[in-house]
Amino acid sequence: MIYTHHIKGIQIYDATEQDVEDILFLIKEIAKYEKLEHEVIATKESLLDSIFIKKRAQVILVAYENKVIGYMLYFYNYSTFTGNANLYLEDLFILKEHRKKGIGKTLFQILAQKAVEEGCKRIDWVCLHWNEPSLNFYKSIGARRLDEWVVHRLEEKEIKKLANIEKTF
């Protein structure tokens, strides 16, 4: 799908399998920005499988003069409190030279429209505590910071270890 908007020279569209190399490039760019480049293990093959074959996430790309400059990756999660599926925004990233042009807000508007169409009550995401430009942007669009929640994570090594625990119940 191609999305309509008002930003001159910008194209916004749903990614296809042919875009997997651009998606991986942008993932590496957001990792650099977040100082987490060493954690990227995604490959073109893993992205192709998880996004386009298994359909675990959806990606919207942003191009300027036919060159990809940004993306948004999201998927559905579920809230027992609302009793609804909701949207989880994993990444929203625009190359530095194209920021502050309204692209990020436009992507959030597209995501909000999808949430309304799908009956979602929430859009959730996380942001690194030091990323003041993004935190200020999120506040400007009406997002509420949830400081009372603590994010937890099990990584692959711990998952495999836990999965092998003898069942005692």
Side-chain angles (χ1 to χ4, degrees):
M1 171 177 222
I2 298 173
Y3 299 92
T4 57
H5 58 85
H6 66 283
I7 306 168
K8 187 175 168 100
I10 296 291
Q11 303 89 40
I12 301 174
Y13 55 95
D14 288 333
T16 67
E17 292 179 16
Q18 291 74 35
D19 297 310
V20 73
E21 198 166 313
D22 288 328
I23 296 167
L24 183 57
F25 165 76
L26 291 165
I27 289 169
K28 289 178 179 179
E29 289 298 307
I30 193 174
K32 281 183 200 173
Y33 175 77
E34 293 177 342
K35 302 172 182 79
L36 296 169
E37 189 175 13
H38 61 282
E39 292 192 21
V40 177
I41 61 171
T43 64
K44 289 187 285 185
E45 295 77 20
S46 68
L47 295 174
L48 184 65
D49 181 58
S50 62
I51 296 171
F52 298 104
I53 295 171
K54 293 180 180 167
K55 300 191 183 305
R56 302 270 168 90
Q58 297 176 15
V59 177
I60 295 175
L61 291 175
V62 180
Y64 176 71
E65 296 180 350
N66 298 316
K67 182 180 185 296
V68 174
I69 61 161
Y71 79 118
M72 176 170 63
L73 186 146
Y74 66 96
F75 53 89
Y76 292 87
N77 64 8
Y78 192 85
S79 168
T80 56
F81 287 14
T82 67
N84 278 29
N86 297 295
L87 294 178
Y88 186 85
L89 176 61
E90 179 65 23
D91 287 340
L92 189 152
F93 181 75
I94 308 298
L95 294 175
K96 185 175 183 174
E97 59 271 22
H98 296 282
R99 294 183 193 147
K100 299 191 184 286
K101 297 178 181 177
I103 299 168
K105 185 172 183 180
T106 298
L107 289 173
F108 261 100
Q109 289 170 328
I110 290 168
L111 195 61
Q113 290 165 359
K114 288 184 177 296
V116 170
E117 290 167 8
E118 297 289 330
C120 298
K121 306 292 185 209
R122 294 180 181 163
I123 300 172
D124 293 314
W125 66 95
V126 297
C127 182
L128 292 165
H129 63 86
W130 57 260
N131 191 347
E132 287 298 321
S134 293
L135 292 169
N136 290 333
F137 168 68
Y138 300 145
K139 185 176 181 181
S140 79
I141 63 168
R144 183 171 53 96
R145 188 173 172 153
L146 302 176
D147 291 328
E148 64 274 12
W149 295 92
V150 178
V151 176
H152 291 81
R153 174 178 294 156
L154 285 171
E155 294 198 8
E156 186 176 21
K157 180 181 173 188
E158 291 79 16
I159 292 169
K160 287 180 177 180
K161 182 178 177 182
L162 186 61
N164 290 326
I165 293 177
E166 230 176 88
K167 292 184 179 171
T168 57
F169 48 90

